[in-house]
Each structure stands twice: as C-alpha cells, then as structure tokens.
C-alpha cells in the first residue's frame, strides 16, 4: 500500500467518534464493573433526523431485528453490533451445561450472521468471536471472552476509522468540494466513519471541505443521515436529488468522489449502496477521481471478484412509498437491490487503515500492514 505520511500535528486534533451529548451508534451498557450482564444500545437510525431515540436490545432476536430494520446499519457498525449481539444472546444461558450452551451459541451466531448478507463485516465479526471461544469449556468463561472480543472489535473499528481519516485526508486540498454517497459517518461505524471520516478529519485539520450528497432513495440515508452528520460536525454541504450527480460531476466542481464499501473482493471490485456504480462511471467519464474508503475487515479475500458478492434485495414497500405514504400503484412489481458493485478499474484508490491501496488491487490489498505513526 501507498504509505502516505500523515501531516504533522494532525493526530492531536483527532475528532471524537460521538459528538458531545449525542447518542452513540452502538454502546454496551452494564451496571456491573465486569460488564456482565449487559445490554446493547443503539441510536435508532430509522427515526433520524426527526428524533434521537435510544433502542435497547436484551436478546439476540432484538439485535437481529435492529440490524434487518436498519436501526443500526453501515458495514462496520453492524459488525460491532453482531459481536455484542453474541453476548446479549448467550449471557442468559451461562448457567446451562456446556453442551446446552454450545447449542445456544451456535444458534445465536447463525441468526446474527445471516441478518444481512452483503456487508462482510457482520459475518467476519461473528466468526471472529466464535473462533475466540473455541476450546473454552465453562459457559461463564465463554461469555466473558465473547464480551472481551466484542470490546476489542469495537475499539479496533474506532481506531481504523481514525487512521482511514488521516490517510484519506491526504487526498484532499484546502477548500475542496467533494461528492459522497449513502451514509458512511459515525452512524455507519463506531468511529468517525469511513469515507465521511475523511471529511471529519479534514475539517479538524482546517481544510474546510464542502460535501455534496444525494438523497439515496429508497431509504434516504443521504438525506436523513449524512445531512444530519454534516450539520452535527459543522461541515459545509449540499443535499441534492440522486439524479443531480451526473450534471454536477460534469461542471468540474467536484475534486473527487469518496464512498464506503460493504464488501471488497480480492480484485478490488467493491459493493456499496445502490447507486455507487453509476457514480463511479460518471466520475470516470468526467475525469474525477473515485475513492473507496473501508477498513480491511471489509475485504473478502475468499471472493475473487464482485460477481460473487451476495446482493441484498429488500422489500417492495421501500420503493412503493416514502415515510409510509404510497407513491406508486398498490402492488406494482418492484426491483429493490440494496447494493451494487463498482468494478475495480473505476476505482482510483482504496483507503484502508493500513494505507492507500492502488491498482492492481489483487496485489496491493494483500500487502502487509503499513505502520501509521
Ligand atoms: O443499507 P445500509 O444503509 O447499511 O448501507 C450502508 C452503505 O452502503 C455504506 O456506504 C457502507 O456500509 C459503507 S460505510 C461504513
């Protein structure tokens, strides 16, 4: 990876993952000093920006439902939620026999792992936690270890966001104007975010970025969440209809496009929110650099290229209406893929917490970590 050095002094002004007074994206709460028993809390992203409401999950099905309904969403955030979800789903079974407990853990892991298919971070986090307890016999010890692993994944995600922000900010210039897609901020990760974290870091460094974002139909993550976060962070920005991106890119006003990813194949093909691929084509057609920003937990080395990435198909009513108001004929057939795949040849660079990978990605994504100081 391209070991771009971080501008001196930029780390001392590291922005907080959660702005003061805001409800965190994911939080583990317990009255006990060792963290057990505990419950998992989310800010309910389905209610933003109208209301900031907290949701508490005390069993695995509640966590699964929160992930499926996009109460908690974004690839890194659902990975962290899945890891804590294993603790929520098994802590009540700690008094059972080792065999009974193992069956509970297996079932909970399967339910959480399958709650959303595209973001590999979820399956990765669940599998990492399950692997961490292999060989531990006593259920209480297993639950303790699951919590420790979830806490570690949470901390690593926050640190990865900060590092991606620092690497990504080296691609920005003072007063530049950028385009992003969907929501990749602190609501999509447990740190400052992936692509959005680049803007947060740049702002903290005094680079004064301006950020355009489309609404992102059908669930409006751009309008509801990214516009909310731009305001929360005091970053200048414009909300636009998704269909305005092409003409905007053609004006030459956009310096670069920064997006996140839900799964990156070994060759660099990257799945992200539906509408990312057309942005990449439009960026290429207009000579605008197109960057993917994602932690290495989003890389799925077992998949050779994007054609094997599972794409989630969501419910028809998300497209037939907005906010409960029907905007299409009752029962009209709907095509609603939640993600698309941007081919690697359209991607100018993949910013990870280890550095900026450049084509050919089959080699650069495999390279050992670059140290970030
Ligand atoms: O369906 P969502 O809202 O979970 O989709 C989120 C995205 O596509 C993000 O861009 C992606 O998770 C990467 S950013 C952390």
């Amino acid at each position: 990876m391209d070991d771009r050095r971080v501008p001196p002094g930029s780390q001392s002004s590291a922005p907080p993952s959660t702005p003061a007074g805001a409800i965190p994206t994911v939080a583990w709460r317990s009255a006990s000093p060792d963290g057990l028993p505990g419950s998992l809390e989310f800010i309910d992203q389905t209610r933003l920006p109208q209301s900031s409401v907290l949701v508490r999950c005390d069993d695995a099905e509640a966590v699964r439902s929160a992930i499926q309904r996009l109460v908690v969403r974004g690839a890194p955030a659902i990975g962290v939620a899945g890891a804590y979800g294993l603790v929520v789903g098994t802590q009540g079974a700690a008094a059972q026999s080792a065999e009974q407990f193992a069956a509970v853990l297996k079932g909970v892991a399967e339910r959480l792992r399958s709650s959303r298919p595209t973001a590999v971070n979820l399956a990765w986090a669940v599998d990492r936690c399950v692997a961490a307890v292999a060989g531990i016999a006593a259920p209480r010890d297993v639950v303790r270890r699951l919590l420790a692993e979830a806490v570690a994944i949470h901390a690593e995600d926050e640190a990865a966001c900060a590092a991606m922000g620092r690497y990504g900010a080296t691609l920005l210039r003072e007063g530049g104007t950028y385009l992003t897609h969907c929501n990749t901020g602190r609501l999509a990760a447990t740190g400052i975010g992936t692509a959005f974290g680049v803007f947060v870091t740049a702002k903290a460094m005094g680079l004064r970025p301006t950020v355009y974002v489309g609404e992102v139909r059908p669930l409006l993550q751009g309008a509801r969440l990214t516009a909310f976060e731009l305001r929360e962070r005091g970053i200048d920005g414009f909300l636009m209809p998704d269909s305005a991106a092409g003409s905007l890119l053609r004006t030459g006003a956009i310096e670069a496009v920064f997006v996140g990813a839900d799964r990156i194949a070994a060759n660099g093909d990257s799945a992200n929110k539906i509408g990312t691929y057309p942005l990449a084509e439009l960026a290429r057609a207009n000579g605008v650099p197109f960057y993917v920003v994602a932690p290495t937990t989003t890389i799925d080395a077992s998949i050779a290229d994007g054609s094997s990435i599972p794409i989630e198909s969501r419910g028809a009513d998300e497209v037939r209406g907005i906010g409960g108001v029907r905007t299409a004929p009752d029962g009209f057939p709907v095509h609603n893929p939640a993600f698309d795949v941007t081919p690697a040849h359209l991607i100018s660079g993949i910013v990870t917490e280890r550095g900026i990978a450049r084509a050919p990605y089959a080699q650069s994504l495999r390279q050992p970590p670059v140290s970030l100081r």
Side-chain angles (χ1 to χ4, degrees):
M1 289 185 190
D2 175 7
D3 180 10
R4 281 174 181 252
R5 284 294 153 198
V6 179
S10 57
Q11 293 177 50
S12 56
S13 54
S17 298
T18 307
I23 300 173
T25 302
V26 180
W28 180 256
R29 303 287 184 214
S30 172
S32 157
D34 71 357
L36 290 169
S39 49
L40 184 53
E41 291 181 356
F42 307 119
I43 185 171
D44 185 346
Q45 299 192 36
T46 67
R47 305 280 299 275
L48 289 171
Q50 289 89 348
S51 329
S52 286
V53 178
L54 192 131
V55 169
R56 176 170 297 128
C57 296
D58 290 310
D59 61 65
E61 285 310 303
V63 178
R64 178 178 160 91
S65 164
I67 293 172
Q68 288 186 322
R69 293 188 304 109
L70 275 53
V71 166
V72 60
R73 47 149 295 285
I78 62 175
V80 176
Y84 283 123
L86 287 174
V87 187
V88 163
T90 58
Q91 61 187 358
Q96 295 183 7
S97 72
E99 291 72 30
Q100 287 167 328
F101 181 86
V104 170
L105 173 58
K106 187 165 183 275
V108 167
E110 276 166 12
R111 292 291 286 167
L112 292 171
R113 201 179 189 284
S114 62
S115 47
R116 288 193 81 189
T118 302
V120 73
N121 313 58
L122 175 59
W124 170 85
V126 169
D127 291 350
R128 171 171 156 177
C129 292
V130 170
V133 298
I136 304 177
R140 281 183 209 290
D141 293 341
V142 173
V143 176
R144 266 195 286 272
R145 186 73 183 82
L146 286 173
L147 179 58
E149 203 64 20
V151 168
I153 289 171
H154 191 164
E156 288 166 25
D157 182 52
E158 291 207 51
C161 286
M164 287 184 283
R166 295 197 292 271
Y167 276 120
T170 65
L171 301 166
L172 271 59
R173 72 164 183 87
E174 187 169 358
T177 299
Y178 304 91
L179 175 61
T180 191
H181 189 59
C182 194
N183 171 264
T184 64
R186 66 115 175 160
L187 295 167
T190 56
I192 57 173
T194 59
F196 191 87
V198 172
F199 307 132
V200 174
T201 308
K203 152 105 181 162
M205 290 164 60
L207 293 179
R208 297 179 299 104
T210 297
V211 179
Y212 280 77
V213 64
E215 293 171 289
V216 189
R217 273 289 286 154
L219 295 180
L220 302 174
Q221 286 93 332
R224 295 188 304 103
L225 308 178
T226 299
F228 174 84
E229 284 202 58
L230 284 167
R231 178 163 287 176
E232 194 176 56
R233 297 286 186 182
I235 298 173
D236 290 337
F238 294 91
L239 177 64
M240 63 185 184
D242 295 319
S243 45
S247 57
L248 177 67
L249 284 161
R250 200 167 157 76
T251 64
I254 300 297
E255 306 257 339
V257 180
F258 287 87
V259 300
D262 288 78
R263 191 182 298 230
I264 300 175
N267 73 341
D269 290 353
S270 298
N272 191 49
K273 178 54 57 191
I274 191 75
T276 303
Y277 164 59
L279 282 183
E281 290 279 13
L282 286 162
R284 172 58 56 92
N286 289 284
V288 177
F290 183 93
Y291 294 104
V292 170
V293 187
T296 50
T297 52
T298 306
I299 300 168
D300 184 350
S302 74
I303 285 186
D305 62 56
S307 64
S308 306
I309 297 178
I311 300 294
E312 176 181 9
S313 187
R314 293 188 61 89
D317 283 343
E318 289 183 356
V319 182
R320 289 193 197 119
I322 301 181
V325 178
R326 193 166 292 292
T327 54
D330 209 12
F332 199 84
V334 160
H335 171 61
N336 187 16
F339 301 95
D340 58 25
V341 175
T342 297
H345 71 89
L346 295 176
I347 300 172
S348 312
I350 300 179
V351 181
T352 76
E353 77 279 16
R354 298 177 185 178
I356 303 173
R358 304 277 183 178
Y361 297 107
Q363 283 153 34
S364 58
L365 291 177
R366 270 209 317 261
Q367 277 182 2
V370 166
S371 66
L372 185 70
R373 303 174 65 82

